Short mmCIF file of all heavy atoms in Angstrom, two decimals:
data_model
loop_
_atom_site.label_atom_id
_atom_site.label_comp_id
_atom_site.label_asym_id
_atom_site.label_seq_id
_atom_site.Cartn_x
_atom_site.Cartn_y
_atom_site.Cartn_z
N SER A 1 -57.69 44.31 167.99
CA SER A 1 -57.33 45.32 169.00
C SER A 1 -57.04 46.67 168.38
O SER A 1 -56.20 47.43 168.86
CB SER A 1 -56.10 44.83 169.79
OG SER A 1 -55.01 44.60 168.91
N SER A 2 -57.73 46.98 167.27
CA SER A 2 -57.48 48.26 166.59
C SER A 2 -57.82 49.44 167.49
O SER A 2 -57.10 50.45 167.52
CB SER A 2 -58.28 48.32 165.29
OG SER A 2 -59.66 48.09 165.54
N GLN A 3 -58.92 49.35 168.25
CA GLN A 3 -59.28 50.46 169.14
C GLN A 3 -58.26 50.61 170.26
O GLN A 3 -57.85 51.73 170.60
CB GLN A 3 -60.67 50.23 169.73
CG GLN A 3 -61.79 50.35 168.71
CD GLN A 3 -63.16 50.20 169.37
OE1 GLN A 3 -63.26 49.82 170.53
NE2 GLN A 3 -64.20 50.51 168.62
N GLU A 4 -57.81 49.52 170.79
CA GLU A 4 -56.82 49.58 171.86
C GLU A 4 -55.49 50.12 171.35
O GLU A 4 -54.79 50.87 172.05
CB GLU A 4 -56.63 48.20 172.48
CG GLU A 4 -57.79 47.69 173.31
CD GLU A 4 -58.93 47.16 172.46
OE1 GLU A 4 -58.77 47.09 171.21
OE2 GLU A 4 -59.98 46.83 173.03
N GLU A 5 -55.12 49.77 170.12
CA GLU A 5 -53.87 50.27 169.56
C GLU A 5 -53.97 51.77 169.30
O GLU A 5 -52.98 52.51 169.49
CB GLU A 5 -53.55 49.52 168.27
CG GLU A 5 -53.15 48.06 168.52
CD GLU A 5 -52.97 47.29 167.23
OE1 GLU A 5 -53.19 47.89 166.15
OE2 GLU A 5 -52.61 46.11 167.29
N ALA A 6 -55.15 52.24 168.87
CA ALA A 6 -55.33 53.69 168.69
C ALA A 6 -55.21 54.41 170.03
O ALA A 6 -54.58 55.47 170.12
CB ALA A 6 -56.68 53.97 168.04
N ALA A 7 -55.82 53.82 171.05
CA ALA A 7 -55.71 54.43 172.37
C ALA A 7 -54.27 54.41 172.86
O ALA A 7 -53.81 55.34 173.54
CB ALA A 7 -56.62 53.69 173.35
N LEU A 8 -53.51 53.38 172.48
CA LEU A 8 -52.10 53.31 172.85
C LEU A 8 -51.31 54.44 172.20
O LEU A 8 -50.46 55.07 172.85
CB LEU A 8 -51.54 51.95 172.45
CG LEU A 8 -50.03 51.76 172.62
CD1 LEU A 8 -49.64 51.89 174.10
CD2 LEU A 8 -49.58 50.42 172.07
N HIS A 9 -51.57 54.70 170.89
CA HIS A 9 -50.85 55.77 170.21
C HIS A 9 -51.14 57.12 170.87
O HIS A 9 -50.22 57.95 171.04
CB HIS A 9 -51.26 55.81 168.74
CG HIS A 9 -50.88 54.56 167.99
ND1 HIS A 9 -49.77 53.82 168.29
CD2 HIS A 9 -51.48 53.93 166.93
CE1 HIS A 9 -49.68 52.78 167.49
NE2 HIS A 9 -50.73 52.82 166.64
N THR A 10 -52.40 57.35 171.23
CA THR A 10 -52.75 58.60 171.90
C THR A 10 -52.03 58.73 173.23
O THR A 10 -51.48 59.79 173.57
CB THR A 10 -54.27 58.67 172.11
OG1 THR A 10 -54.94 58.59 170.84
CG2 THR A 10 -54.67 59.96 172.81
N ALA A 11 -52.02 57.61 173.99
CA ALA A 11 -51.37 57.64 175.30
C ALA A 11 -49.86 57.84 175.16
O ALA A 11 -49.24 58.55 175.96
CB ALA A 11 -51.66 56.34 176.05
N GLU A 12 -49.27 57.24 174.12
CA GLU A 12 -47.83 57.42 173.91
C GLU A 12 -47.51 58.87 173.57
O GLU A 12 -46.48 59.41 174.03
CB GLU A 12 -47.35 56.48 172.81
CG GLU A 12 -47.31 55.01 173.23
CD GLU A 12 -46.93 54.09 172.10
OE1 GLU A 12 -47.09 54.49 170.92
OE2 GLU A 12 -46.49 52.96 172.37
N ALA A 13 -48.38 59.52 172.74
CA ALA A 13 -48.14 60.92 172.38
C ALA A 13 -48.24 61.82 173.62
O ALA A 13 -47.40 62.72 173.82
CB ALA A 13 -49.15 61.36 171.31
N ARG A 14 -49.24 61.59 174.45
CA ARG A 14 -49.38 62.38 175.68
C ARG A 14 -48.19 62.14 176.61
O ARG A 14 -47.70 63.07 177.26
CB ARG A 14 -50.68 62.03 176.37
CG ARG A 14 -51.94 62.47 175.61
CD ARG A 14 -53.19 61.94 176.31
NE ARG A 14 -53.29 62.48 177.65
CZ ARG A 14 -53.89 63.63 177.95
NH1 ARG A 14 -54.44 64.37 176.98
NH2 ARG A 14 -53.94 64.04 179.20
N ARG A 15 -47.74 60.90 176.67
CA ARG A 15 -46.59 60.63 177.53
C ARG A 15 -45.33 61.31 177.04
O ARG A 15 -44.55 61.88 177.83
CB ARG A 15 -46.37 59.10 177.58
CG ARG A 15 -45.20 58.67 178.46
CD ARG A 15 -44.74 57.28 178.10
NE ARG A 15 -44.32 57.22 176.68
CZ ARG A 15 -43.99 56.10 176.06
NH1 ARG A 15 -44.06 54.94 176.69
NH2 ARG A 15 -43.62 56.13 174.79
N ASP A 16 -45.11 61.28 175.71
CA ASP A 16 -43.91 61.92 175.15
C ASP A 16 -43.94 63.42 175.40
O ASP A 16 -42.90 64.03 175.72
CB ASP A 16 -43.82 61.63 173.65
CG ASP A 16 -43.59 60.15 173.36
OD1 ASP A 16 -43.19 59.42 174.30
OD2 ASP A 16 -43.83 59.72 172.22
N LEU A 17 -45.12 64.01 175.24
CA LEU A 17 -45.24 65.45 175.51
C LEU A 17 -44.98 65.75 176.98
O LEU A 17 -44.30 66.73 177.33
CB LEU A 17 -46.62 65.95 175.10
CG LEU A 17 -46.89 67.45 175.34
CD1 LEU A 17 -45.89 68.32 174.56
CD2 LEU A 17 -48.33 67.80 174.97
N ALA A 18 -45.53 64.91 177.86
CA ALA A 18 -45.32 65.10 179.28
C ALA A 18 -43.85 64.93 179.65
O ALA A 18 -43.33 65.60 180.54
CB ALA A 18 -46.19 64.11 180.08
N LYS A 19 -43.14 64.04 178.92
CA LYS A 19 -41.71 63.84 179.17
C LYS A 19 -40.91 65.09 178.81
O LYS A 19 -40.00 65.50 179.55
CB LYS A 19 -41.22 62.64 178.36
CG LYS A 19 -39.74 62.31 178.58
CD LYS A 19 -39.48 61.84 179.99
CE LYS A 19 -38.08 61.24 180.15
NZ LYS A 19 -37.00 62.20 179.83
N LEU A 20 -41.26 65.72 177.66
CA LEU A 20 -40.58 66.95 177.27
C LEU A 20 -40.82 68.06 178.28
O LEU A 20 -39.90 68.81 178.66
CB LEU A 20 -41.05 67.39 175.88
CG LEU A 20 -40.67 66.47 174.71
CD1 LEU A 20 -41.33 66.95 173.42
CD2 LEU A 20 -39.16 66.40 174.55
N SER A 21 -42.08 68.17 178.73
CA SER A 21 -42.41 69.19 179.73
C SER A 21 -41.67 68.94 181.03
O SER A 21 -41.18 69.88 181.67
CB SER A 21 -43.92 69.21 179.96
OG SER A 21 -44.27 70.13 180.97
N LEU A 22 -41.56 67.68 181.43
CA LEU A 22 -40.85 67.35 182.66
C LEU A 22 -39.37 67.70 182.55
O LEU A 22 -38.76 68.24 183.49
CB LEU A 22 -41.04 65.86 182.98
CG LEU A 22 -40.27 65.34 184.20
CD1 LEU A 22 -40.75 66.06 185.47
CD2 LEU A 22 -40.44 63.84 184.34
N ASP A 23 -38.76 67.42 181.37
CA ASP A 23 -37.35 67.74 181.19
C ASP A 23 -37.11 69.25 181.27
O ASP A 23 -36.11 69.71 181.88
CB ASP A 23 -36.86 67.20 179.84
CG ASP A 23 -36.82 65.68 179.82
OD1 ASP A 23 -36.81 65.07 180.92
OD2 ASP A 23 -36.81 65.10 178.72
N ARG A 24 -38.03 70.06 180.67
CA ARG A 24 -37.87 71.52 180.75
C ARG A 24 -38.01 72.00 182.19
O ARG A 24 -37.22 72.83 182.68
CB ARG A 24 -38.91 72.21 179.86
CG ARG A 24 -38.58 72.14 178.38
CD ARG A 24 -39.43 73.12 177.60
NE ARG A 24 -40.84 72.78 177.68
CZ ARG A 24 -41.47 72.02 176.78
NH1 ARG A 24 -40.79 71.50 175.75
NH2 ARG A 24 -42.75 71.75 176.90
N GLN A 25 -39.01 71.46 182.90
CA GLN A 25 -39.22 71.86 184.28
C GLN A 25 -38.01 71.48 185.15
O GLN A 25 -37.64 72.20 186.08
CB GLN A 25 -40.48 71.19 184.83
CG GLN A 25 -41.78 71.68 184.21
CD GLN A 25 -42.08 73.13 184.61
OE1 GLN A 25 -41.63 73.63 185.64
NE2 GLN A 25 -42.86 73.82 183.76
N LYS A 26 -37.40 70.34 184.80
CA LYS A 26 -36.24 69.91 185.56
C LYS A 26 -35.07 70.88 185.39
O LYS A 26 -34.38 71.24 186.35
CB LYS A 26 -35.84 68.50 185.11
CG LYS A 26 -34.70 67.90 185.92
CD LYS A 26 -34.42 66.48 185.46
CE LYS A 26 -33.32 65.84 186.30
NZ LYS A 26 -33.03 64.45 185.88
N ASN A 27 -34.86 71.35 184.13
CA ASN A 27 -33.77 72.29 183.88
C ASN A 27 -34.04 73.64 184.53
O ASN A 27 -33.14 74.27 185.11
CB ASN A 27 -33.57 72.46 182.37
CG ASN A 27 -33.05 71.20 181.71
OD1 ASN A 27 -32.36 70.40 182.34
ND2 ASN A 27 -33.39 71.01 180.43
N LEU A 28 -35.29 74.09 184.42
CA LEU A 28 -35.65 75.38 185.04
C LEU A 28 -35.58 75.30 186.55
O LEU A 28 -35.18 76.27 187.22
CB LEU A 28 -37.05 75.79 184.60
CG LEU A 28 -37.21 76.15 183.11
CD1 LEU A 28 -38.68 76.40 182.76
CD2 LEU A 28 -36.36 77.39 182.76
N ARG A 29 -35.92 74.19 187.09
CA ARG A 29 -35.86 74.04 188.55
C ARG A 29 -34.42 74.07 189.03
O ARG A 29 -34.12 74.60 190.11
CB ARG A 29 -36.52 72.71 188.94
CG ARG A 29 -36.49 72.42 190.43
CD ARG A 29 -37.15 73.50 191.23
NE ARG A 29 -36.98 73.33 192.66
CZ ARG A 29 -37.08 74.29 193.55
NH1 ARG A 29 -37.35 75.56 193.14
NH2 ARG A 29 -36.91 74.07 194.83
N ALA A 30 -33.53 73.54 188.21
CA ALA A 30 -32.11 73.56 188.59
C ALA A 30 -31.57 74.98 188.66
O ALA A 30 -30.69 75.29 189.48
CB ALA A 30 -31.30 72.73 187.60
N SER A 31 -32.12 75.86 187.79
CA SER A 31 -31.66 77.27 187.80
C SER A 31 -32.51 78.14 188.73
O SER A 31 -32.28 79.34 188.83
CB SER A 31 -31.69 77.84 186.38
OG SER A 31 -33.01 77.82 185.86
N GLY A 32 -33.55 77.55 189.34
CA GLY A 32 -34.41 78.29 190.27
C GLY A 32 -35.46 79.12 189.59
O GLY A 32 -36.08 79.99 190.25
N ALA A 33 -35.73 78.85 188.28
CA ALA A 33 -36.70 79.67 187.55
C ALA A 33 -38.14 79.25 187.83
O ALA A 33 -39.07 80.04 187.59
CB ALA A 33 -36.42 79.60 186.05
N VAL A 34 -38.37 78.01 188.28
CA VAL A 34 -39.73 77.54 188.58
C VAL A 34 -39.74 77.00 190.00
O VAL A 34 -38.69 76.66 190.58
CB VAL A 34 -40.20 76.46 187.60
CG1 VAL A 34 -40.32 77.03 186.19
CG2 VAL A 34 -39.26 75.27 187.63
N SER A 35 -40.94 76.91 190.54
CA SER A 35 -41.09 76.41 191.91
C SER A 35 -41.08 74.89 191.92
O SER A 35 -41.25 74.23 190.89
CB SER A 35 -42.39 76.94 192.52
OG SER A 35 -43.50 76.41 191.81
N GLN A 36 -40.92 74.35 193.12
CA GLN A 36 -40.92 72.90 193.29
C GLN A 36 -42.28 72.31 192.96
O GLN A 36 -42.37 71.21 192.40
CB GLN A 36 -40.53 72.54 194.74
CG GLN A 36 -40.48 71.05 195.04
CD GLN A 36 -39.37 70.33 194.28
OE1 GLN A 36 -38.29 70.92 194.10
NE2 GLN A 36 -39.65 69.12 193.79
N SER A 37 -43.35 73.04 193.24
CA SER A 37 -44.70 72.54 192.96
C SER A 37 -44.93 72.40 191.47
O SER A 37 -45.59 71.46 191.02
CB SER A 37 -45.75 73.46 193.60
OG SER A 37 -45.65 74.76 193.04
N ASP A 38 -44.41 73.33 190.66
CA ASP A 38 -44.55 73.21 189.21
C ASP A 38 -43.82 71.96 188.70
O ASP A 38 -44.31 71.25 187.83
CB ASP A 38 -44.00 74.46 188.52
CG ASP A 38 -44.86 75.70 188.79
OD1 ASP A 38 -46.05 75.52 189.13
OD2 ASP A 38 -44.32 76.82 188.70
N TYR A 39 -42.63 71.74 189.26
CA TYR A 39 -41.88 70.54 188.86
C TYR A 39 -42.61 69.26 189.28
O TYR A 39 -42.70 68.30 188.50
CB TYR A 39 -40.48 70.58 189.49
CG TYR A 39 -39.69 69.31 189.25
CD1 TYR A 39 -39.09 69.06 188.02
CD2 TYR A 39 -39.58 68.34 190.26
CE1 TYR A 39 -38.39 67.89 187.80
CE2 TYR A 39 -38.89 67.16 190.04
CZ TYR A 39 -38.28 66.94 188.81
OH TYR A 39 -37.59 65.77 188.59
N ASP A 40 -43.18 69.27 190.47
CA ASP A 40 -43.91 68.08 190.93
C ASP A 40 -45.13 67.82 190.08
O ASP A 40 -45.47 66.66 189.80
CB ASP A 40 -44.31 68.26 192.39
CG ASP A 40 -43.10 68.25 193.33
OD1 ASP A 40 -42.04 67.75 192.91
OD2 ASP A 40 -43.24 68.74 194.47
N SER A 41 -45.82 68.87 189.64
CA SER A 41 -47.00 68.69 188.78
C SER A 41 -46.61 68.08 187.44
O SER A 41 -47.29 67.19 186.91
CB SER A 41 -47.68 70.04 188.56
OG SER A 41 -48.16 70.55 189.78
N ALA A 42 -45.48 68.56 186.87
CA ALA A 42 -45.01 67.99 185.59
C ALA A 42 -44.62 66.54 185.75
O ALA A 42 -44.90 65.70 184.87
CB ALA A 42 -43.83 68.83 185.07
#
């Protein structure tokens, strides 16, 4: 399952990045700096 494990590492990296982006959008949304649609997209 070497190919599947490589795909898993890629997916985990994209997920971690998306998690960081979501956390930033959440903080900015709390202060009203971004719109609700930007938060929903993240």
Side-chain angles (χ1 to χ4, degrees):
S1 58
S2 55
Q3 290 184 349
E4 289 78 6
E5 290 174 358
L8 173 63
H9 297 328
T10 301
E12 288 176 338
R14 292 174 62 88
R15 181 200 59 187
D16 294 344
L17 180 60
K19 182 67 169 60
L20 293 174
S21 177
L22 176 62
D23 291 341
R24 284 194 296 267
Q25 292 291 336
K26 185 177 182 180
N27 293 331
L28 292 174
R29 179 58 187 158
S31 61
V34 295
S35 65
Q36 181 66 37
S37 62
D38 292 337
Y39 174 77
D40 292 341
S41 297

